[in-house]
Amino acid sequence: MKTMEEQAAGKRSLALPITLVLLVFSLIGNVFFYSQFLQGKQDTRYRTGQHIIETAVLTKVQYETLLNEANRLLELNELGVVPGTSPGKGDLTATRSTADSAFIAEAYLLKGEKPKVDGINTYFQQIRQSLDELHNLKQPMTEQQVANLNKIRDALNAQYEIIQKFNFDAAETRISTIQLASGIDWLELADQLEASIASQ
């Protein structure tokens, strides 16, 4: 018959392997759940990066459309064509567009700040109003109107050059898209764009 000491030793010899097995399974479980947590964060950052790229692309296209519109109005004026009476007016007005503050708003959100974009939206609304008035002219532009249009065109061009510096190629790889969610290589562009708008 085994003594109490022998029984206790047997229990201890079984307890250690069982404890080690449980510990290993616990560690495996923790690693699995942590990897799932990290994957979830990466997926969220990837979606954020995709949205940033989308707003940058949209902003670039909006600037291109506005610039084309302003340049076309200036060309018509040089040709002595009054936009509001031009037979091809429909072709010009069909391209009308406006820009918005989505790209700059994304920068505020990434910084954890409430977007302050009312002034930016007002700026673009005023540009849209100015271009619309020129579209509807029934007489040639005055010198002041031409000067104002040139000022609008130059400002839009300066802002367009800023958005063109955005790394649109980031959309080609997942890691580059994720990096955008950290603000790498684009937050300063949003700041420059905002400053350029504010200076007008």
Side-chain angles (χ1 to χ4, degrees):
M1 193 172 190
K2 291 185 179 180
T3 64
M4 291 182 65
E5 289 82 1
E6 289 174 331
Q7 290 176 351
K11 287 179 181 178
R12 282 196 299 272
S13 64
L14 286 176
L16 182 58
I18 292 172
T19 301
L20 288 174
V21 168
L22 291 174
L23 182 59
V24 168
F25 276 111
S26 176
L27 288 172
I28 291 172
N30 286 340
V31 169
F32 172 76
F33 287 118
Y34 186 64
S35 66
Q36 291 295 102
F37 169 73
L38 289 179
Q39 184 62 45
K41 284 187 70 175
Q42 290 287 76
D43 289 344
T44 299
R45 290 163 67 84
Y46 179 65
R47 288 192 296 272
T48 299
Q50 284 182 312
H51 188 64
I52 291 166
I53 293 170
E54 288 169 6
T55 59
V57 169
L58 179 61
T59 299
K60 179 175 178 286
V61 170
Q62 289 171 335
Y63 270 111
E64 287 171 347
T65 306
L66 285 171
L67 277 167
N68 287 338
E69 192 176 341
N71 283 323
R72 181 63 178 147
L73 283 166
L74 287 168
E75 288 172 7
L76 288 175
N77 182 68
E78 289 179 5
L79 293 171
V81 177
V82 178
T85 62
S86 172
K89 179 184 176 185
D91 297 333
L92 186 59
T93 57
T95 63
R96 289 188 189 184
S97 176
T98 188
D100 58 40
S101 57
F103 181 70
I104 295 170
E106 281 297 314
Y108 273 102
L109 292 173
L110 192 64
K111 296 173 188 175
E113 302 174 14
K114 181 179 178 182
K116 304 168 186 174
V117 294
D118 289 345
I120 297 166
N121 289 328
T122 299
Y123 168 74
F124 287 122
Q125 288 167 6
Q126 289 172 343
I127 289 177
R128 179 72 270 155
Q129 182 180 351
S130 297
L131 294 176
D132 284 345
E133 288 174 357
L134 295 176
H135 277 297
N136 296 319
L137 280 179
K138 302 298 182 185
Q139 65 280 334
M141 290 187 205
T142 64
E143 289 184 8
Q144 185 60 55
Q145 287 172 323
V146 173
N148 290 341
L149 182 54
N150 274 307
K151 183 179 178 183
I152 288 173
R153 191 268 311 274
D154 292 345
L156 289 173
N157 196 53
Q159 292 154 24
Y160 177 61
E161 288 178 2
I162 293 171
I163 196 65
Q164 276 188 302
K165 295 175 185 176
F166 183 86
N167 180 22
F168 294 99
D169 292 337
E172 296 178 5
T173 63
R174 181 179 174 87
I175 189 167
S176 296
T177 301
I178 289 173
Q179 286 177 339
L180 290 176
S182 301
I184 296 174
D185 295 333
W186 74 275
L187 278 181
E188 63 271 23
L189 297 180
D191 291 340
Q192 291 171 21
L193 190 57
E194 184 176 14
S196 177
I197 291 171
S199 68
Q200 299 306 312

